[in-house]
Amino acid sequence: MTRKIVLDIKALRKEKNMTVSDLANRLNKSVFEIKVWEDNGHKVSIKDLDSLHRILGLSINYVVFNSERNTLSVRGLTVKQIQLLLGIIDEISDEEH
């Protein structure tokens, strides 16, 4: 699956009172990479999304719809399971259009 997700990582990080360094360390990434994500609206891979959802408490609803209504948490799901959910969401979205 090549789908990429765009997140407001800076806002999410700040909600958790984390510095760029804190997030970089927790993700095992460089501070520079996190700043690129934040400053350029970098797209986040499914693999990074899996790590981010654990650290920042993201839900599928927030990621897909930018909303916490009827939240479905991805906490505890594998990358493969998250990919399957996103595939289902894509299919539903395609059927609605």
Side-chain angles (χ1 to χ4, degrees):
M1 178 184 254
T2 60
R3 180 185 175 107
K4 299 274 186 176
I5 307 295
V6 179
L7 300 172
D8 188 349
I9 293 169
K10 187 174 192 174
L12 293 166
R13 173 181 59 77
K14 287 184 174 189
E15 283 178 17
K16 296 290 183 181
N17 296 315
M18 297 177 74
T19 65
V20 174
S21 295
D22 292 336
L23 185 57
N25 288 334
R26 301 236 1 230
L27 289 170
N28 204 20
K29 304 263 184 207
S30 70
V31 169
F32 175 78
E33 187 170 0
I34 301 303
K35 285 186 176 187
V36 167
W37 284 4
E38 291 184 353
D39 295 340
N40 299 326
H42 181 80
K43 294 180 179 180
V44 178
S45 71
I46 296 294
K47 182 178 178 184
D48 289 328
L49 177 63
D50 181 53
S51 298
L52 283 167
H53 97 267
R54 283 188 230 139
I55 294 166
L56 300 175
L58 300 177
S59 68
I60 287 291
N61 282 14
Y62 181 86
V63 171
V64 176
F65 304 111
N66 255 353
S67 170
E68 285 298 336
R69 291 174 297 148
N70 302 317
T71 300
L72 172 64
S73 175
V74 294
R75 186 166 285 135
L77 297 181
T78 65
V79 172
K80 177 85 171 155
Q81 290 168 327
I82 293 169
Q83 289 172 333
L84 289 170
L85 279 172
L86 290 172
I88 292 167
I89 290 166
D90 282 344
E91 285 182 34
I92 292 168
S93 296
D94 289 345
E95 289 175 7
E96 292 176 352
H97 294 107

